[in-house]
Amino acid sequence: MWFSFWRSRDRFSLEELRYLTDQLQKIQIVNEVNKDFVIEALRSISELITYGDQHDASFFEFFMEKQIMGEFVRILKISRAATVSLQLLQTMSIIIQNLKSEHAIYYLFSTEHMNKLITYAFDFRNDELLSYYISFLRAISGKLNKNTISLLVKTQNDKVVSFPMYVEAIQFAFHEENMIRTAVRALTLNVYHVGDDYVNRFITSPPHADYFSNLVTFFRKQCIDLNDLVTETMSAEPSTSTILAAVDEIEDNLYYISDVISAGIPDVGRLITDNILRHLIFPLLLPSLRIEVVNGFQIGAVTSLYLLCCILRIVKIKDLANTISAAFFCPLDAFSPQPEEGLNGNMTRLCCESRSQSSGSDGIVRQPLDAESLIKEVSDSSAPKTELKDVTVKNGCPGSRLELRGALLSHITTGDDVQVLGALSVLATLLQTKELDESMLDALGILPQRKQHKKLLLEALVGEDSGEEQLFSSDNTSVKGGIDIELDGYLQKLKDYGISYFLKAGASPRAHRFEVLDALVSLFCRSNISAEILWDGGWLLRQLLPYSEAEFNSHHLKLLKDSYKYWATELLQEARGIWSDFLIILLSDEWKKCKRAIEAPSPRKEPKSMLLHSAKASAVDAVPPESSFAAGQKMSELVKVFVLLHQLQSFSLGKALSDQPCIDPPSEIPDCSRAKVAGLDASGPKPGAELRLDGAVPCRIAFERGKERHFFFLGTAIGTCGWIILAEELPSKLNCGIVRVAAPLAGSNPRIDEKHSRWLHLRIRPSTLPFLDPTKHGTPLKSKAKPFVDGRWILAFQDEDTCKVAFSMVLEEINLQSKEVERRLKPLVGLERAVDSADAFLCSTKSLTSNTAPNLM
């Protein structure tokens, strides 16, 4: 019978469809003999129905007339082969996805056979079968609208009592396979965005509403897993790819939650907000903000800071953002470590529940997918849990009962690099969260001054006395003498979660603002924090105080000035360092970068950078400390800190920032200098170029074992550049030679050998800072990158006196080079003079622009 399937016929014809249907109807049981024919017939029917939908309506009319959907269900029941089930699900997915006719879609969805296929007890121990099943459900969801969705639900008394597609799908929402989770999420969003009121009520009614709380519980487990990965990187070799994969998963979940909320289903936003606060924010994330670890039960502070940033940035719910912010006024000990009840109760519904439906006599049972193992995993990884404890704290409470806001600021003042970056990221995220009320930002002490002025101006314009009084007061604050009414409302809401707050005596937005400023100024005075992170602090300060010195007190200014002087002294020492020839180049480059960074509308880094910072630091630590590369890294850090403090000084004094640092131009090169006598210019010596050998010293060097070569040695400096040169004498020209080898003068560190007084040792560092040209040198931050190694020259001279002449020559040229660097930096390192020079530079630029403008009169 099935061999006749291969006889010649027009493949895309109604005759072919009729033949395939007739053959399927004759099959009473699917076995190994006819299985291949059934699979091929199902595949061909999907092609024919798709073809007919686009070319000939009679194809689908035949499909309806012969009730081929019913045949599909019958074939499924009489088959034990998983391959037949796979093909049938694929056939249905192809038909549904490709049908354009609304009439055809209505027919498919209106038959009872569709729900029979959806609820059929497939054996999902076969992972491939599960994937095809979820794809089938997703294909159905892609055709949903307000008309078609009603065909897939059962109603009673104007109430949806059954929605098999949705109920079956969400049982796999937390499957271990990411592709399945993604498909289920796409399906649910298709359902939510239909906007059918009856379906929405079904979704938000028990027990289906548990899906949203389970969603938060599953997300909590992912947060704990992420913390485990971050903790591992602190004790083992960093694995950034693993962390990035976990971060992507975290952020995908949050974007999905945000999409669910944006669908506008009544009560879903409130339900998700309540679960995020009750099961994640209050018991897990906020208590972890303390620097010290308590009983080892919490996730790490850095992971907590990252997660807070992500939730505020992605889940855009006003109540959620403002409630989290209000919680920063709660004491740390409002959260006590106690076993949390009810977590397992949520998790038992987290994965699919057991659907022990028997499929006829074959006894196939639909399996619960990892429910028990997932429950155990979450219980083990997160126990013991925290329970919110009602704590009543009055004004004037002991200092040990630090509020969360103070704990966040303590990360800035006393934390390590990662903790500082995390705390700054949280403040920056709060500052840029549009869902936060301005009164909340003001109470936290991070309302930008321009917004304060705008708010007070509006209050003054509408005739509010307090607004006018504060606008023209030197001690202005938008909330006089206490907290705002809106803030108080969110603080009262915290009591619903068993949390009490306290406000210190004299607490006000102005006092809190000065605490933030104190923390930031203290940060800029710390020498153990990386420059990149200090720049992030500079961005935050710039956002808070765009109108300069109005909010700084004398103590702030003194601390900034003292810190600036310290780093200016360190900078001048680099003028005699290994990389002095690159100091001004680096200064000019970092000046522009820093100015762009602190004036940018948003921070340069995403919150996830705090999780990767330790991995990068570990790679940098692998550089040998005695190498010139380590010295270059140190100088780069120093320059970045100096540039930031210089720009903050200008900013704090109310001065505009210039586009370039105030550095003196190069000086004229004396005619008597060794470089001029040798015929060199600022471009430096090139291999093969000719030069004069006046003052050069003959020497020998072996670049290969046993092969000595004779050269003339010369040390030269032109401005801030300098070289040590080995040249071969030209027999044809008296006192002239050809450059064979040249190396940087700076960092050469000349030293006469203690045992051989005719030998001169020179260190040969790279000709450029490797991280300034990563395309040429690569980056040392890669774990497999080869470390940079300095070269060594040992020059042998005719006698001791000649060696001393060469030694003195190198020292003299290094001194000339260093003095030129110091001279050019002099206007920059003097604070008042530097600021005045910056003003003069800006004025001259404006004047030049106005003088060169065309006369239009």
Side-chain angles (χ1 to χ4, degrees):
M1 174 188 66
W2 44 90
F3 295 105
S4 60
F5 173 73
W6 302 106
R7 63 191 177 88
S8 177
R9 278 186 309 276
D10 183 4
R11 182 181 177 189
F12 293 102
S13 66
L14 189 59
E15 179 189 358
E16 177 74 3
L17 180 59
R18 181 178 291 108
Y19 170 77
L20 293 173
T21 305
D22 290 342
Q23 297 303 315
L24 282 179
Q25 289 174 340
K26 294 177 182 179
I27 294 176
Q28 299 303 312
I29 187 170
V30 179
N31 52 33
E32 290 298 321
V33 178
N34 59 16
K35 178 181 66 175
D36 292 339
F37 166 75
V38 172
I39 291 172
E40 185 61 26
L42 291 172
R43 186 190 62 79
S44 297
I45 287 175
S46 67
E47 294 178 350
L48 287 167
I49 297 301
T50 301
Y51 172 83
D53 183 66
Q54 300 175 15
H55 299 89
D56 189 347
S58 63
F59 280 67
F60 198 81
E61 290 175 1
F62 180 84
F63 182 88
M64 292 187 293
E65 178 186 344
K66 295 298 182 179
Q67 296 189 10
I68 297 178
M69 278 283 291
E71 278 302 309
F72 287 168
V73 175
R74 188 183 69 83
I75 290 294
L76 191 61
K77 290 180 178 180
I78 63 175
S79 171
R80 294 186 178 183
T83 51
V84 173
S85 298
L86 287 172
Q87 184 58 58
L88 193 145
L89 289 171
Q90 186 182 48
T91 294
M92 288 305 304
S93 298
I94 293 172
I95 291 174
I96 294 170
Q97 287 174 344
N98 290 281
L99 284 180
K100 306 297 183 184
S101 167
E102 290 187 7
H103 173 68
I105 293 295
Y106 288 162
Y107 169 77
L108 286 180
F109 287 5
S110 63
T111 65
E112 61 179 3
H113 303 301
M114 183 63 74
N115 277 336
K116 285 182 178 179
L117 285 176
I118 292 172
T119 57
Y120 185 78
F122 293 99
D123 183 6
F124 290 132
R125 288 172 295 186
N126 185 324
D127 292 337
E128 188 177 10
L129 185 61
L130 176 60
S131 297
Y132 275 80
Y133 176 73
I134 295 298
S135 297
F136 164 59
L137 296 183
R138 183 175 179 178
I140 296 173
S141 72
K143 298 295 183 177
L144 294 180
N145 55 43
K146 287 195 174 183
N147 295 321
T148 58
I149 197 170
S150 61
L151 303 174
L152 295 171
V153 302
K154 292 182 179 179
T155 60
Q156 185 176 344
N157 299 327
D158 291 332
K159 181 180 179 182
V160 174
V161 294
S162 175
F163 188 5
M165 185 202 72
Y166 177 78
V167 173
E168 298 297 317
I170 62 174
Q171 296 189 55
F172 303 97
F174 309 106
H175 192 271
E176 61 183 7
E177 188 67 37
N178 183 52
M179 294 295 290
I180 292 176
R181 295 199 303 270
T182 301
V184 172
R185 290 174 186 174
L187 180 151
T188 56
L189 290 176
N190 288 338
V191 172
Y192 302 153
H193 284 288
V194 170
D196 184 277
D197 292 338
Y198 296 101
V199 172
N200 288 346
R201 282 196 287 271
F202 174 82
I203 289 167
T204 54
S205 63
H208 315 295
D210 288 348
Y211 170 69
F212 302 108
S213 58
N214 290 339
L215 186 63
V216 176
T217 308
F218 180 75
F219 178 70
R220 172 185 168 127
K221 176 192 174 298
Q222 289 186 311
C223 295
I224 295 171
D225 291 343
L226 174 65
N227 181 70
D228 292 341
L229 287 175
V230 174
T231 303
E232 287 175 10
T233 62
M234 297 178 181
S235 57
E237 184 177 349
S239 177
T240 56
S241 60
T242 305
I243 292 180
L244 285 174
V247 164
D248 290 342
E249 189 77 15
I250 289 281
E251 295 186 1
D252 285 347
N253 271 289
L254 287 174
Y255 279 114
Y256 171 65
I257 290 172
S258 178
D259 289 341
V260 171
I261 295 167
S262 67
I265 301 175
D267 297 328
V268 167
R270 178 196 55 76
L271 182 62
I272 291 178
T273 298
D274 182 71
N275 277 279
I276 289 177
L277 292 171
R278 195 175 296 278
H279 298 298
L280 181 65
I281 300 294
F282 293 149
L284 195 65
L285 300 189
L286 293 183
S288 301
L289 292 186
R290 65 181 79 222
I291 291 183
E292 73 280 2
V293 177
V294 180
N295 297 332
F297 80 99
Q298 294 169 324
I299 67 172
V302 175
T303 308
S304 178
L305 292 167
Y306 161 73
L307 291 169
L308 283 173
C309 289
C310 281
I311 291 170
L312 289 168
R313 286 173 63 243
I314 298 174
V315 185
K316 300 184 180 300
I317 305 177
K318 181 177 180 180
D319 278 353
L320 178 63
N322 284 280
T323 305
I324 291 174
S325 300
F328 279 99
F329 294 95
C330 299
L332 279 170
D333 53 5
F335 310 92
S336 300
Q338 295 181 5
E340 182 180 285
E341 301 295 336
L343 179 63
N344 287 350
N346 286 334
M347 291 304 297
T348 54
R349 298 187 301 272
L350 182 57
C351 294
C352 65
E353 298 175 354
S354 176
R355 297 166 54 201
S356 304
Q357 301 175 3
S358 176
S359 176
S361 61
D362 58 8
I364 295 177
V365 176
R366 186 185 294 267
Q367 298 292 325
L369 296 180
D370 303 287
E372 293 181 3
S373 60
L374 189 53
I375 294 166
K376 183 179 185 301
E377 186 177 353
V378 175
S379 300
D380 292 343
S381 62
S382 57
K385 300 294 183 294
T386 57
E387 182 179 82
L388 303 183
K389 183 179 179 181
D390 191 357
V391 179
T392 303
V393 185
K394 298 180 180 179
N395 289 343
C397 67
S400 62
R401 303 192 110 170
L402 180 68
E403 61 183 7
L404 285 171
R405 188 182 146 277
L408 184 65
L409 295 180
S410 70
H411 284 292
I412 296 176
T413 56
T414 62
D416 57 24
D417 269 13
V418 183
Q419 291 169 336
V420 171
L421 178 58
L424 291 174
S425 297
V426 169
L427 291 175
T429 302
L430 289 169
L431 191 65
Q432 295 197 306
T433 301
K434 296 180 180 179
E435 290 73 27
L436 271 183
D437 293 328
E438 287 190 358
S439 60
M440 189 69 71
L441 291 175
D442 201 17
L444 290 170
I446 56 174
L447 181 66
Q449 197 176 77
R450 63 180 181 275
K451 290 188 176 180
Q452 290 186 40
H453 285 197
K454 179 181 177 181
K455 183 177 180 180
L456 296 175
L457 181 61
L458 289 174
E459 291 177 357
L461 289 174
V462 298
E464 295 185 15
D465 295 338
S466 61
E468 185 174 359
E469 175 186 347
Q470 294 168 57
L471 180 62
F472 299 103
S473 169
S474 60
D475 297 330
N476 58 43
T477 175
S478 60
V479 184
K480 186 176 180 180
I483 61 174
D484 189 272
I485 296 175
E486 292 179 352
L487 169 59
D488 185 58
Y490 284 107
L491 290 173
Q492 294 300 324
K493 283 185 179 181
L494 294 177
K495 292 183 178 180
D496 296 338
Y497 298 94
I499 304 173
S500 296
Y501 66 92
F502 75 93
L503 291 175
K504 295 177 291 187
S508 68
R510 180 171 176 79
H512 293 166
R513 186 177 184 80
F514 268 100
E515 289 175 3
V516 175
L517 291 179
D518 286 339
L520 290 176
V521 172
S522 174
L523 173 65
F524 300 136
C525 297
R526 297 181 62 183
S527 59
N528 60 341
I529 302 299
S530 71
E532 293 283 332
I533 295 174
L534 293 178
W535 281 18
D536 293 333
W539 177 88
L540 182 60
L541 184 66
R542 181 70 169 171
Q543 294 297 310
L544 297 179
L545 303 173
Y547 298 120
S548 69
E549 83 279 6
E551 290 284 338
F552 284 110
N553 59 28
S554 57
H555 180 62
H556 294 153
L557 295 174
K558 182 180 184 304
L559 288 175
L560 287 174
K561 189 172 183 179
D562 290 345
S563 183
Y564 172 84
K565 288 181 177 179
Y566 168 81
W567 289 104
T569 303
E570 293 290 310
L571 183 75
L572 285 176
Q573 291 180 5
E574 288 296 328
R576 297 185 175 274
I578 297 176
W579 295 92
S580 60
D581 48 341
F582 277 88
L583 184 55
I584 290 178
I585 296 173
L586 193 61
L587 262 171
S588 300
D589 188 44
E590 297 298 341
W591 181 278
K592 291 181 285 188
K593 291 180 181 178
C594 184
K595 185 174 185 290
R596 284 197 303 267
I598 66 175
E599 292 182 345
S602 58
R604 297 172 303 134
K605 300 176 183 176
E606 294 184 1
K608 64 183 176 184
S609 62
M610 71 181 81
L611 302 178
L612 307 175
H613 186 82
S614 57
K616 293 182 180 180
S618 299
V620 172
D621 291 341
V623 177
E626 68 278 2
S627 70
S628 63
F629 180 72
Q633 287 180 318
K634 179 184 174 184
M635 185 182 78
S636 176
E637 280 285 297
L638 190 156
V639 167
K640 290 177 180 178
V641 177
F642 171 81
V643 165
L644 172 66
L645 290 171
H646 192 291
Q647 294 188 3
L648 289 179
Q649 284 289 338
S650 299
F651 168 59
S652 67
L653 296 174
K655 307 294 183 179
L657 297 180
S658 61
D659 293 330
Q660 296 285 346
C662 300
I663 298 173
D664 276 346
S667 60
E668 292 290 332
I669 308 300
D671 292 335
C672 60
S673 67
R674 288 189 175 92
K676 275 291 185 75
V677 171
L680 298 175
D681 57 24
S683 63
K686 303 290 189 300
E690 185 177 319
L691 82 166
R692 296 188 59 79
L693 298 179
D694 295 337
V697 183
C699 66
R700 304 188 313 278
I701 186 172
F703 290 112
E704 299 179 48
R705 185 181 294 274
K707 294 183 180 181
E708 278 193 348
R709 297 180 62 182
H710 291 263
F711 292 103
F712 277 83
F713 173 76
L714 183 65
T716 63
I718 300 179
T720 61
C721 300
W723 304 271
I724 47 178
I725 303 168
L726 296 179
E728 285 185 337
E729 187 177 19
L730 280 174
S732 59
K733 283 190 178 183
L734 182 64
N735 211 24
C736 289
I738 298 294
V739 176
R740 294 305 182 194
V741 186
L745 175 68
S748 58
N749 190 25
R751 177 178 61 84
I752 296 177
D753 192 277
E754 295 178 357
K755 295 182 179 180
H756 303 85
S757 58
R758 296 183 296 112
W759 290 5
L760 181 64
H761 294 262
L762 296 170
R763 174 171 59 188
I764 308 301
R765 43 141 257 230
S767 58
T768 184
L769 281 164
F771 47 81
L772 290 182
D773 189 10
T775 58
K776 181 178 179 181
H777 297 274
T779 170
L781 298 183
K782 296 180 179 178
S783 57
K784 296 184 179 179
K786 294 181 180 179
F788 292 95
V789 179
D790 296 324
R792 298 284 174 180
W793 285 359
I794 302 177
L795 305 178
F797 295 90
Q798 295 175 352
D799 51 44
E800 182 178 339
D801 291 338
T802 308
C803 183
K804 289 181 178 179
V805 169
F807 175 73
S808 299
M809 179 197 309
V810 176
L811 290 181
E812 288 174 11
E813 295 300 311
I814 288 176
N815 188 50
L816 289 173
Q817 182 184 30
S818 299
K819 283 186 174 180
E820 174 65 6
V821 175
E822 291 171 346
R823 183 194 68 80
R824 294 188 63 185
L825 290 179
K826 193 174 181 180
L828 187 67
V829 295
L831 181 58
E832 289 81 4
R833 183 188 302 179
V835 173
D836 292 340
S837 299
D839 290 344
F841 177 80
L842 287 173
C843 291
S844 64
T845 303
K846 293 178 181 178
S847 175
L848 180 64
T849 304
S850 61
N851 290 337
T852 56
N855 188 353
L856 302 178
M857 297 298 292

